[in-house]
Amino acid sequence: MNHNRVVCFDLEMCCWSEDGVGTTGEIIEVGLAEIDLLSGTIVKRAQYYVKPEKDEISPFCAELTGITPRKIEKQGRSLESVIKSMIKNFGGPKKIYAAWGRDDLILRKECIEKGIEPPFSEFINIATLYRVQNRLKDKRIGHRAAQEAKNIEWEGRQHSGYVDAYNLAKLTLTML
């Protein structure tokens, strides 16, 4: 296990809003940003688009994420292909992965449903770590609000896996 590197990741999924209630479906983007804890830097970033097998990208989802059906048609790949690229470029079970919340469970569940070996075994929930470090007990706080509370500037469009993973890496460097 390489404890000097952490791969921060963020998922975007097919999503809908019906009568003000949000629901999600298959993964359509994986954003990654790897940090080196010894140097305190972000050393690598990537963005992978995933073609959903059953779901479609709703107008709501396209507006929220900026991911259009056309973008997925042109740049999307199967989840299996994306997982292979993640392991090749970021390392698999020998790396620690981290996300804001439980994206690990979402990714693991979809991998298992599609007969794919999940790409990691070690995981850190940065949202939980943030709440513990800041004594927030049961209070929920969003990633952007937590980052801004630490006076770390948010960069880019929220709800882009690539941007969110990068911002999470910046926050995580201040916490680990």
Side-chain angles (χ1 to χ4, degrees):
M1 180 65 60
N2 184 344
H3 291 94
N4 297 322
R5 296 277 180 106
V6 176
V7 179
C8 297
F9 74 101
D10 185 76
L11 304 175
E12 298 302 327
M13 284 88 64
C14 289
C15 53
W16 304 268
S17 179
E18 295 177 17
D19 299 322
V21 177
T23 57
T24 59
E26 290 178 277
I27 296 166
I28 55 173
E29 182 192 8
V30 181
L32 301 111
E34 184 172 339
I35 58 176
D36 182 318
L37 297 174
L38 296 177
S39 68
T41 60
I42 298 169
V43 295
K44 193 185 311 184
R45 294 174 69 187
Q47 176 180 45
Y48 302 109
Y49 290 112
V50 182
K51 281 188 178 179
E53 294 177 5
K54 301 174 194 152
D55 291 333
E56 292 181 7
I57 297 171
S58 69
F60 170 80
C61 187
E63 185 177 326
L64 179 69
T65 65
I67 301 170
T68 63
R70 179 175 162 86
K71 185 177 282 186
I72 291 296
E73 187 58 40
K74 291 180 84 174
Q75 299 176 36
R77 302 185 297 160
S78 69
L79 181 62
E80 182 176 25
S81 173
V82 167
I83 296 296
K84 286 179 182 176
S85 291
M86 286 172 61
I87 292 169
K88 179 182 175 199
N89 296 317
F90 289 87
K94 293 190 185 323
K95 289 275 182 75
I96 299 168
Y97 280 68
W100 187 267
R102 296 311 309 258
D103 280 7
D104 64 313
L105 297 179
I106 295 166
L107 182 58
R108 185 176 305 279
K109 180 177 183 276
E110 191 165 327
C111 282
I112 290 168
E113 287 172 358
K114 294 180 176 178
I116 304 164
E117 184 71 28
F120 54 85
S121 56
E122 292 286 331
F123 175 77
I124 301 170
N125 181 339
I126 301 300
T128 299
L129 181 60
Y130 183 90
R131 286 194 309 272
V132 169
Q133 286 182 350
N134 293 280
R135 309 288 190 260
L136 296 178
K137 296 186 181 178
D138 296 328
K139 184 179 177 191
R140 290 182 51 115
I141 186 169
H143 171 198
R144 186 170 185 158
Q147 185 162 319
E148 290 172 350
K150 293 274 189 185
N151 294 314
I152 303 167
E153 182 182 351
W154 185 273
E155 296 180 48
R157 176 195 176 123
Q158 197 170 6
H159 300 298
S160 157
Y162 185 69
V163 169
D164 291 353
Y166 173 72
N167 282 298
L168 182 62
K170 292 189 335 180
L171 177 62
T172 301
L173 280 169
T174 71
M175 297 172 58
L176 296 180

